[in-house]
Amino acid sequence: MQHKNRSAFYAGFSLFFCFGLLYASGTIQQLFYQQPLFGMLAATVLAFFVPAAGLAYILRKKGYLPGLRLGFPHFRMKKVLFAIDSGLTVSLLVVLLNTMYLNVAGTADIELTVSIVTADSLRQSFVMTLLGAAVIPALLEEIFLRGVLQPIYEKLVGTWPAIVFTSCIFAMLHGTLNNFIGPLLAGCLYGYLTYEFQSVWPAFIAHLSNNLLYLVTLWLTDTYASFGIWEYFSFLSVIILLMFLYLTFRTAEDLFEDNEMPHFQRRKLPIPQTILTMAFNPGFLVFTLAFMAKAVFGLI
């Protein structure tokens, strides 16, 4: 039990370190003011790779490290399609929910991604935009959250509490309350895919599908704004969402029939003790306070 508590302790502080590096990303990007996309790429690498590598090193050195899910699974085409379809389904659902929220709130535009990523940047520096806004964030976020953190918490409390907990962390690392539910839903999917395949790479595929969808949507809405595409945006989102929802359930049905969907590990502790074990350690509490200071009170 002491090993488990130490694992949670180190994991919590790695989250605070990650959050601090994300907060400092603006300063890091200023160092590359002539190449802002490269600055965003460097900030992402520092914010996620450094905490992931540091946490893995410390836990391995102390003998606490559970099996990481960084290896390549045996891919079948149905499983690859399931990762892509489910990733796009959740992405479309999140876009639709965000659009509905903005309509209710009376906001005219939707913030699809960070401000330095524009349709012009896609045209002028396609490869760097693709790497900086889609590929590298998806890869490093999944390695840190699902490849390293999720196995730690699974050993502590079981499968579904670990998936929900790391999904909450995923949403908190995005740093806003207005966009909390979307990352939470996406994080639950990525956590499930990681457990199902026993590898982080299907979650990376789903996450990358999400990021690519946002970039494509950004390009379409910016390029064809003069044609009034926003008038049809919600309708088209619903139609495409229903199509991918059908594809996701159809592929999942085939996988269940082939008995290729593993069962979750049972929750190992009562719910109150599960929450205490995961959340009430110094590192995670400091991380939570930093999130509240930024997202709720705007202090940092």
Side-chain angles (χ1 to χ4, degrees):
M1 181 60 68
Q2 183 180 6
H3 285 188
K4 292 182 177 180
N5 291 337
R6 290 281 182 88
S7 298
F9 176 81
Y10 292 128
F13 269 105
S14 74
L15 287 170
F16 174 66
F17 188 53
C18 174
F19 188 87
L21 288 172
L22 281 176
Y23 175 69
S25 63
T27 303
I28 296 171
Q29 290 178 28
Q30 288 177 6
L31 298 175
F32 303 92
Y33 64 93
Q34 292 182 332
Q35 294 180 311
L37 288 170
F38 187 82
M40 183 174 68
L41 184 60
T44 302
V45 171
L46 285 174
F48 290 99
F49 179 76
V50 172
L55 178 60
Y57 173 78
I58 291 172
L59 294 180
R60 187 180 295 277
K61 186 176 180 180
K62 294 183 175 295
Y64 304 158
L65 189 65
L68 300 183
R69 297 196 174 116
L70 303 179
F72 289 94
H74 176 66
F75 277 108
R76 285 185 55 205
M77 184 53 65
K78 282 185 180 180
K79 288 193 172 185
V80 174
L81 291 174
F82 178 67
I84 295 173
D85 291 341
S86 59
L88 290 174
T89 298
V90 169
S91 301
L92 288 162
L93 178 61
V94 170
V95 169
L96 187 62
L97 290 174
N98 284 342
T99 304
M100 292 171 61
Y101 168 79
L102 292 172
N103 287 335
V104 172
T107 305
D109 298 316
I110 183 171
E111 183 181 350
L112 293 170
T113 186
V114 291
S115 58
I116 63 174
V117 178
T118 64
D120 287 337
S121 70
L122 280 168
R123 287 187 286 265
Q124 296 171 7
S125 183
F126 178 78
V127 173
M128 186 57 71
T129 304
L130 193 65
L131 288 174
V135 179
I136 299 302
L139 176 63
L140 296 184
E141 288 176 20
E142 293 310 312
I143 286 176
F144 178 48
L145 293 171
R146 257 65 67 169
V148 178
L149 285 184
Q150 185 172 306
I152 292 173
Y153 289 114
E154 281 185 38
K155 293 289 185 181
L156 287 170
V157 295
T159 303
W160 74 260
I163 290 176
V164 173
F165 187 64
T166 52
S167 299
C168 289
I169 292 169
F170 180 62
M172 292 168 73
L173 286 173
H174 284 74
T176 66
L177 292 177
N178 292 339
N179 190 34
F180 191 89
I181 297 299
L184 178 65
L185 292 175
C188 287
L189 170 67
Y190 305 152
Y192 171 72
L193 289 173
T194 299
Y195 177 75
E196 179 197 332
F197 290 89
Q198 293 296 294
S199 171
V200 76
W201 294 101
F204 163 67
I205 292 173
H207 196 157
L208 178 61
S209 300
N210 167 80
N211 292 352
L212 292 175
L213 176 67
Y214 272 67
L215 289 181
V216 169
T217 304
L218 173 69
W219 178 78
L220 285 174
T221 53
D222 187 76
T223 303
Y224 298 102
S226 60
F227 293 91
I229 192 172
W230 277 109
E231 297 180 12
Y232 309 99
F233 185 77
S234 297
F235 173 75
L236 291 174
S237 296
V238 171
I239 297 300
I240 300 173
L241 169 63
L242 292 175
M243 180 183 71
F244 277 103
L245 188 64
Y246 168 78
L247 293 173
T248 299
F249 280 114
R250 186 69 183 87
T251 309
E253 182 182 23
D254 291 340
L255 292 173
F256 273 112
E257 288 178 354
D258 295 339
N259 199 28
E260 295 189 33
M261 295 289 207
H263 296 291
F264 282 2
Q265 299 174 18
R266 285 191 168 190
R267 178 167 46 84
K268 300 180 179 181
L269 301 170
I271 290 179
Q273 192 175 350
T274 295
I275 296 173
L276 287 172
T277 300
M278 292 189 297
F280 283 82
N281 71 77
F284 182 77
L285 289 176
V286 173
F287 164 67
T288 303
L289 289 174
F291 167 76
M292 295 293 289
K294 180 180 185 296
V296 180
F297 300 107
L299 298 179
I300 60 176

